[in-house]
């Protein structure tokens, strides 16, 4: 059992940055942590993921170069650094955990078993 909780959302102007945090608790060794977002009226989309056991990272092409996923193992925290934000990035951001995802399934919501409540990000132009 893994519990995850997000924080760090808020309002920012276009071009600004935010860093989201996902704190994991429970049986977290070697888990996969993914970041997703969902805007009103749109499907949930995967942004990035990390395999905490080896530090391997995965990115959706739409955010690669702007978003960076990282981990602080001592704090059981996964970060999502988001730069050069635009109004298109406005959404509810969630992190999710899974004991195993794999290289080809990291971007599927169905691959993750444990989800946080989400944190809202609003970017104003």
């Amino acid at each position: 059992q893994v519990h995850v909780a997000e924080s760090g959302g808020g309002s920012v102007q276009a071009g600004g940055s935010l860093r989201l945090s996902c704190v994991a608790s429970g049986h977290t060794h070697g888990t996969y942590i993914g970041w997703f977002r969902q805007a009103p009226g749109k499907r949930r989309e995967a942004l990035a993921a990390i395999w905490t056991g080896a530090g391997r990272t995965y990115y959706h092409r739409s955010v690669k170069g702007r978003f960076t996923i990282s981990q602080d193992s001592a704090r059981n925290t996964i970060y999502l650094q988001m730069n050069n934000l635009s109004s298109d990035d406005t959404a509810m951001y969630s992190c999710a955990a899974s004991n195993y995802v794999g290289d080809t399934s990291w971007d599927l919501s169905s691959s993750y078993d444990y989800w946080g409540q989400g944190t809202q990000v609003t970017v104003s132009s």
Side-chain angles (χ1 to χ4, degrees):
Q1 187 87 12
V2 179
H3 181 263
V4 291
E6 311 90 340
S7 63
S11 298
V12 64
Q13 289 192 330
S17 299
L18 278 175
R19 189 179 75 164
L20 305 183
S21 300
C22 174
V23 178
S25 60
H27 190 69
T28 61
H29 179 70
T31 55
Y32 287 76
I33 303 292
W35 279 102
F36 294 78
R37 70 184 178 190
Q38 187 168 20
K42 295 187 177 181
R43 296 178 61 182
R44 177 186 286 162
E45 62 174 331
L47 302 173
I50 188 167
W51 176 27
T52 62
R56 183 177 297 172
T57 58
Y58 307 84
Y59 293 96
H60 191 277
R61 60 183 179 277
S62 65
V63 300
K64 196 169 186 178
R66 286 197 306 131
F67 291 8
T68 302
I69 191 169
S70 61
Q71 65 174 329
D72 183 336
S73 299
R75 292 182 169 83
N76 281 344
T77 301
I78 305 300
Y79 300 103
L80 185 68
Q81 177 69 41
M82 307 185 296
N83 298 326
N84 194 25
L85 291 165
S86 73
S87 57
D88 291 339
D89 296 312
T90 295
M92 180 69 75
Y93 286 67
S94 300
C95 66
S98 175
N99 291 325
Y100 181 78
V101 170
D103 292 345
T104 60
S105 302
W106 72 268
D107 56 347
L108 300 178
S109 298
S110 58
S111 296
Y112 297 85
D113 302 303
Y114 310 101
W115 290 81
Q117 294 298 311
T119 185
Q120 177 68 35
V121 172
T122 302
V123 184
S124 57
S125 56

